[in-house]
Amino acid sequence: MAEARAESAPVIQQRDTRRQLRTAPIAATTLWAGTLAEVFDARLFRASTESVASRLEKHLADVAIRGLELTDPEILTKTARGLMTPERDRIAAFDEERLSAIVDLYVRTGIQVHSPGAMGRQFSGVIPLAGVVDFVSSVVNQPSSFYEAGQLPNVAERIMAEELNRFIGWEPDSFAMVTTSGGSLANLTALLAARNKHFPDYWSQGGGALAGRPRPAIAVGADVHYSVSRAAGVMGIGDEQLVRLPLGADQRICLDRARAALAEAERRGLEVFCLVASAGTTAVGAFDPIDGLADLAREKGIWLHVDGAHGASLLVSDKLRGKLGGIEKADSLTWDAHKMMFVPAPCTLLFYRDKRDSLGAFRQQASYVFDEQPDIYTALDSGDKNFECTKRPMIMPLWALWSIHGRALFAEKIEYLCQLTEDIHRILVDEPDFEPVHRPEANILCFRHLPDGLGENEVHRLQLDIRNRLKIQGNFFISKVDIDGVAALRVVMMNHRTTTEHFRMLLGEIRRAGYDLRHRDHSSDSE
């Protein structure tokens, strides 16, 4: 059976990708000769932009259901090389057909985030206007870590910090926000700030500053995002010094058992300096009890960091804000705008309740960027607060959307996606051959296909095989996750074009895949 599976997938991929990647010959006609001046010519910019925009317009208007069509890397590499100019000694002339072929290849390979069939990841189909503003950022190329280099982006960061803090609830003049390239970097930065506050000499002296003290540790939910354990390794804390707090049946940190776990950590010779709660776990979208954990952390003298990379965006919705009850008590918050605020990645916002703590993650002097005499301009610099020196002006698409359309744009789409997930949960409850693993709290739902006659020891493998079958052959892209050691199918509702009818179509594909897989297995066994 395994051999048959291994042989069939490449055959399917080979057939499909040869059809998909067939490209027209590159025409020899050009509009501009190849000189340095002409490559930078504004008219060429206009022509190439209009060509690309027309193709992207067609892409956005296409509402066809598409899954993930994996391409054989060798075929894709050969196709990509075929699009490269053979010129090696001179600047090649601009070729519009070559550019069009490159864009077409780019658009049709990879995840089709704008398709109603894209349900597999937390990648968002961006609000188109956000892409336009991001395009402007790419052309003007103003790095935003320092005010003098990117003046409007730094002002926009301050404005968006003030706008979004209205939903967090911190004192207006006491908090701080800095943008980072992704939630993983934001979590690392917050953990560094927490460690350096708890162990003031660690930055300069390293582990030697802890002589005679217990080992530093971080308390996390049992299914915390891997970026936190990765950060523990980067910081020299070590994965074994992660105190994993037990989860309840709802996949949230169990507050009653968390206290005992912290006490046990202390008996093991660990000194917990930070507790990480999740607002929308990656696996199932669970929201930890922030309010109670904040009280526990304050009682223990522990920094509370909330990883709200996925779920913090619910704060902008009056209907859903309660999911993050107690967020005003947290010390820091990670918020990915490139997930549920639907802007290009990366765009992560890292908030601190006390703005003085934002200066604690990195303690350095560098005369070539950090001014010795602060003024009204350097007051907006963020280079001393984040790991990046050259940083994209990632706030611009979010600020532009907020400026033009306002909060309601985000709130309405988020509320639709969360309601859609509730609706598909009800559909699953009524389907005898499917079992939802949990009640959704936002827009993530995990479930299993359990056809009649399926043995308990077959459940895990069937979910894996179904997901792989859909990935290769299906019209829908979904993911999988292990829950309590058993695989489950996972959908993330990120597209407002997706409806319950699309989900019913997905269930039909899952049933067919499950039947084919089991029928084939049984046929193989009988032979």
Side-chain angles (χ1 to χ4, degrees):
M1 181 184 73
E3 293 177 359
R5 183 181 301 108
E7 292 171 359
S8 63
V11 172
I12 294 168
Q13 291 176 350
Q14 193 89 355
R15 183 183 67 241
D16 290 347
T17 53
R18 281 176 177 164
R19 172 176 52 80
Q20 295 162 5
L21 301 182
R22 196 176 294 122
T23 56
I26 300 300
T29 57
T30 60
L31 297 176
W32 278 269
T35 69
L36 185 62
E38 286 158 344
V39 167
F40 283 87
D41 191 288
R43 293 169 299 170
L44 175 58
F45 167 76
R46 174 67 176 264
S48 58
T49 299
E50 290 178 348
S51 175
V52 171
S54 67
R55 279 170 162 73
L56 291 179
E57 181 182 8
K58 293 179 182 178
H59 175 64
L60 292 173
D62 186 353
V63 296
I65 301 171
R66 291 190 175 89
L68 177 66
E69 297 182 3
L70 282 180
T71 303
D72 184 315
E74 290 300 321
I75 295 175
L76 183 56
T77 300
K78 183 178 180 180
T79 304
R81 285 194 176 279
L83 295 175
M84 298 173 68
T85 178
E87 182 62 69
R88 293 291 180 267
D89 299 321
R90 294 176 299 178
I91 298 174
F94 171 71
D95 190 321
E96 184 176 357
E97 290 195 26
R98 191 183 301 276
L99 173 62
S100 297
I102 289 171
V103 172
D104 289 344
L105 184 63
Y106 191 6
V107 166
R108 72 174 180 265
T109 55
I111 298 176
Q112 300 296 304
V113 293
H114 290 281
S115 168
M119 305 178 186
R121 300 289 184 195
Q122 292 153 283
F123 306 134
S124 168
V126 302
I127 297 169
L129 181 57
V132 174
V133 178
D134 198 51
F135 166 69
V136 175
S137 294
S138 296
V139 175
V140 301
N141 201 27
Q142 299 175 354
S144 65
S145 287
F146 299 93
Y147 180 80
E148 65 181 26
Q151 298 178 44
L152 182 57
N154 278 277
V155 168
E157 278 198 20
R158 174 175 286 187
I159 292 172
M160 286 311 301
E162 293 170 350
E163 289 289 312
L164 296 177
N165 181 58
R166 292 191 291 115
F167 309 111
I168 299 173
W170 288 326
E171 290 295 325
D173 297 325
S174 69
F175 81 100
M177 186 273 277
V178 62
T179 57
T180 70
S181 297
S184 296
L185 188 54
N187 286 338
L188 171 62
T189 304
L191 290 171
L192 282 169
R195 184 201 65 183
N196 294 341
K197 185 173 186 177
H198 198 88
F199 303 103
D201 297 325
Y202 202 109
W203 178 267
S204 58
Q205 299 178 24
L210 305 179
R213 293 187 64 171
R215 289 170 292 163
I218 303 169
V220 301
D223 65 345
V224 71
H225 190 266
Y226 74 87
S227 65
V228 176
S229 57
R230 179 174 288 181
V234 171
M235 295 165 61
I237 302 298
D239 192 69
E240 292 186 3
Q241 275 63 251
L242 287 180
V243 179
R244 297 192 178 272
L245 305 177
L247 305 182
D250 55 5
Q251 302 298 311
R252 306 163 74 226
I253 291 176
C254 180
L255 191 57
D256 292 338
R257 298 165 63 192
R259 184 180 298 276
L262 292 175
E264 175 60 26
E266 188 175 349
R267 285 192 291 271
R268 287 172 48 205
L270 301 178
E271 187 170 345
V272 175
F273 65 87
C274 184
L275 192 162
V276 179
S278 295
T281 58
T282 300
V284 300
F287 287 72
D288 289 327
I290 297 172
D291 198 24
L293 290 172
D295 292 340
L296 177 60
R298 184 169 298 179
E299 174 189 328
K300 297 286 187 180
I302 297 172
W303 178 299
L304 176 66
H305 173 63
V306 176
D307 180 3
H310 184 76
S313 297
L314 271 63
L315 286 169
V316 304
S317 164
D318 294 338
K319 295 179 180 179
L320 301 169
R321 191 174 306 130
K323 299 282 186 182
L324 290 93
I327 190 63
E328 73 282 355
K329 299 180 182 179
D331 294 289
S332 54
L333 168 67
T334 292
W335 183 336
D336 278 358
H338 57 264
K339 290 189 171 73
M340 296 280 276
M341 301 291 274
F342 319 110
V343 298
C347 180
T348 297
L349 319 174
L350 174 58
F351 286 86
Y352 295 91
R353 180 164 54 88
D354 187 336
K355 62 183 178 184
R356 294 171 296 185
D357 291 334
S358 67
L359 298 169
F362 309 102
R363 300 175 178 177
Q364 295 170 285
Q365 294 296 323
S367 61
Y368 44 87
V369 288
F370 301 139
D371 284 298
E372 295 181 21
Q373 298 178 323
D375 53 32
I376 61 170
Y377 309 113
T378 61
L380 275 76
D381 290 352
S382 61
D384 54 350
K385 302 179 185 69
N386 66 61
F387 189 77
E388 301 159 280
C389 181
T390 303
K391 184 177 68 172
R392 281 182 58 81
M394 59 193 80
I395 197 67
M396 289 303 296
L398 179 62
W399 173 71
L401 290 175
W402 196 275
S403 299
I404 293 170
H405 295 297
R407 174 182 72 101
L409 169 65
F410 307 96
E412 287 188 17
K413 180 164 180 174
I414 292 168
E415 288 165 7
Y416 173 79
L417 296 175
C418 291
Q419 183 59 56
L420 174 63
T421 312
E422 279 282 346
D423 294 341
I424 67 174
H425 176 266
R426 284 195 291 271
I427 291 173
L428 286 172
V429 170
D430 292 335
E431 298 292 339
D433 55 339
F434 285 93
E435 177 186 72
V437 178
H438 63 105
R439 176 76 179 269
E441 292 196 62
N443 63 324
I444 299 176
L445 181 60
C446 302
F447 59 97
R448 298 188 179 105
H449 179 42
L450 304 174
D452 286 341
L454 185 69
E456 186 175 342
N457 61 341
E458 300 176 284
V459 173
H460 179 84
R461 184 56 181 268
L462 181 63
Q463 314 310 309
L464 295 181
D465 289 347
I466 288 173
R467 194 265 170 171
N468 290 334
R469 171 67 68 92
L470 264 62
K471 182 170 67 174
I472 294 171
Q473 293 181 312
N475 294 311
F476 294 88
F477 173 52
I478 65 173
S479 52
K480 75 92 185 173
V481 64
D482 288 350
I483 299 177
D484 297 329
V486 180
L489 304 174
R490 173 177 174 269
V491 293
V492 185
M493 296 298 160
M494 295 293 288
N495 190 339
H496 64 280
R497 289 173 169 172
T498 304
T499 67
T500 54
E501 287 308 306
H502 292 115
F503 186 72
R504 291 184 188 277
M505 293 168 63
L506 168 64
L507 296 187
E509 284 205 4
I510 291 173
R511 285 192 177 100
R512 287 190 292 274
Y515 176 83
D516 291 345
L517 288 163
R518 298 184 73 213
H519 180 71
R520 186 197 62 196
D521 291 351
H522 292 154
S523 299
S524 301
D525 292 341
S526 62
E527 294 173 358

